[in-house]
Amino acid sequence: MQASTETVFLYPPTPLSARCYSHAKVETDEEFDARWVTYFSKPDIDAWELKKGMNTLIGYDLVPEPKILDSALRACRRLNDLASAIRILEAVKDKSGPHKDIYPYLIQELQPTLTELGISTPEDLGMDIL
Amino acid sequence: MMSSKEARSLKMLHLTTGRVGCLLSKQVVVALTSSGARMSSHGHHEVSDSVDMSQPMYWDRLDTPLPDRPWKDVLDSTDKSLKQKEKGPWTALSKEEKIALYRLKFNHTYPEMKRPSHEWKTVIGGMFIVFGITGLVVLWQCHYVYPPQPHTFGEEWQAKQVQRMLDMQINPIEGFSAQWDYKNKQWK
């Protein structure tokens, strides 16, 4: 009588492609940036959309790229809202947290836009101190 | 001229104070209107402490930079002309005008939101006061509540107890008696 040997796996040795990770496609940084630039670039963006966009963006665990902020500042210009533009700059400075080198970099990258649109930074207006 | 907000709250007041009496409600209505006029630059204030949550709110939050409503939504003529100027090139605005525009839309700047408070002193002080009161309660309790100590706590008894433990060689290797130098009759 043949003894049948059945090997019973205690766990299925799954190949990498079949592991129990989510199969959702992960958005790359470039895609994320592009999506947000497009959002703020809408020509007839309204005040609510600007507020919603900015509040959502600030809610993320990241400091937005200069190109996103550039798009947002131009949206402020289309909405004739200088105050919100300054507020956005304050918000990203706060988002940088302990990394004090991020905000100067952002201002450096945004300087052409700031000069073009006439947006003063909070530092220019003396609003960065109590 | 009453804003629609004041008119709405007046209507509600009439409903709630219907039973109170015509004269009283009239006085309250007058108070509402006059205080509304006084606070016209911040037209969002309610007379009562509760905020009307059905209206767009203002907030100063670090994590939500743009609130639903500007800080000052009742603008006088200078504010209105400034808002008109805002529609043109911002390079034409002076620093003071830009600051004024910011202050129209927002109450506190980010540094003002993040300003330190003296609250911690209140907290620590309150804690120590509570500790002190608790300490007094404990002292009183020790004096008035606790029964007398058992006689086995007395000096003489304790000395006899230690001697007995040494005689029995309690924990002679690593513990109690191990610390006693039996030759020289003293602690090691």
Side-chain angles (χ1 to χ4, degrees):
Chain A
M1 198 160 83
Q2 256 184 339
S4 62
T5 48
E6 284 177 74
T7 44
V8 178
F9 287 111
L10 289 172
Y11 62 90
T14 42
L16 260 146
S17 57
R19 287 208 181 141
C20 299
Y21 297 158
S22 161
H23 294 291
K25 187 166 153 298
V26 179
E27 189 181 49
T28 65
D29 288 348
E30 293 74 26
E31 287 167 343
F32 175 88
D33 292 344
R35 193 160 55 83
W36 277 101
V37 168
T38 315
Y39 178 88
F40 286 117
S41 303
K42 188 172 151 208
D44 54 347
I45 193 172
D46 65 29
W48 185 92
E49 285 170 339
L50 173 69
K51 276 185 273 165
K52 177 67 181 169
M54 271 323 299
N55 291 339
T56 310
L57 191 59
I58 296 295
Y60 294 149
D61 184 19
L62 51 86
V63 180
E65 281 283 322
K67 53 170 141 22
I68 304 177
L69 297 174
D70 174 85
S71 190
L73 293 174
R74 289 183 188 280
C76 289
R77 173 65 268 191
R78 292 198 293 285
L79 289 163
N80 300 319
D81 192 350
L82 174 65
S84 293
I86 301 171
R87 190 74 153 185
I88 289 170
L89 295 176
E90 283 190 305
V92 297
K93 183 179 184 182
D94 182 59
K95 264 322 260 189
S96 316
H99 305 281
K100 300 286 177 209
D101 50 344
I102 298 181
Y103 181 70
Y105 164 73
L106 290 173
I107 295 297
Q108 177 197 305
E109 294 293 311
L110 289 170
Q111 201 52 59
T113 310
L114 296 178
T115 333
E116 181 199 326
L117 299 178
I119 301 171
S120 300
T121 65
E123 289 71 33
D124 289 340
L125 300 172
M127 285 178 6
D128 58 326
I129 41 144
L130 276 171
Chain B
M1 173 99 157
M2 278 197 292
S3 72
S4 61
K5 222 177 293 172
E6 286 170 318
R8 233 195 318 267
S9 45
L10 278 176
K11 264 192 223 137
M12 277 162 59
L13 192 66
H14 279 296
L15 286 167
T16 52
T17 60
R19 291 187 181 277
V20 180
C22 225
L23 197 66
L24 190 60
S25 61
K26 270 206 198 118
Q27 287 173 334
V28 180
V29 162
V30 166
L32 241 183
T33 348
S34 58
S35 61
R38 248 185 283 123
M39 296 194 262
S40 60
S41 66
H42 301 291
H44 55 280
H45 279 317
E46 298 286 316
V47 176
S48 60
D49 279 333
S50 60
V51 176
D52 185 357
M53 297 293 281
S54 67
Q55 298 297 316
M57 283 177 67
Y58 178 81
W59 59 72
D60 276 316
R61 282 185 67 110
L62 298 173
D63 60 0
T64 323
L66 303 178
D68 288 339
R69 182 176 60 73
W71 173 238
K72 254 192 178 192
D73 46 7
V74 184
L75 304 173
D76 62 23
S77 52
T78 22
D79 298 333
K80 285 192 182 138
S81 58
L82 188 58
K83 287 302 252 182
Q84 272 300 113
K85 203 173 172 193
E86 196 183 14
K87 294 184 184 169
W90 292 338
T91 40
L93 295 166
S94 71
K95 280 194 183 171
E96 291 72 26
E97 287 175 324
K98 289 180 184 175
I99 296 173
L101 280 168
Y102 184 94
R103 292 294 181 182
L104 279 178
K105 201 143 213 257
F106 301 108
N107 182 16
H108 287 311
T109 65
Y110 267 63
E112 285 166 7
M113 275 191 251
K114 295 169 87 164
R115 71 189 179 278
S117 79
H118 296 280
E119 193 188 3
W120 68 272
K121 296 175 194 168
T122 315
V123 171
I124 300 290
M127 272 169 63
F128 286 145
I129 288 169
V130 170
F131 294 160
I133 294 169
T134 312
L136 289 172
V137 169
V138 168
L139 277 176
W140 177 88
Q141 169 195 253
C142 284
H143 193 269
Y144 287 104
V145 177
Y146 288 167
Q149 272 197 337
H151 61 102
T152 51
F153 277 65
E155 280 282 347
E156 222 188 285
W157 188 282
Q158 283 287 315
K160 287 187 195 163
Q161 188 172 295
V162 167
Q163 186 56 59
R164 185 158 183 272
M165 283 168 76
L166 290 170
D167 294 342
M168 286 197 283
Q169 294 183 55
I170 296 292
N171 294 338
I173 300 150
E174 299 242 343
F176 190 75
S177 304
Q179 306 301 324
W180 179 255
D181 185 351
Y182 281 93
K183 282 226 177 69
N184 302 321
K185 299 227 171 119
Q186 63 186 16
W187 290 107
K188 286 185 187 164

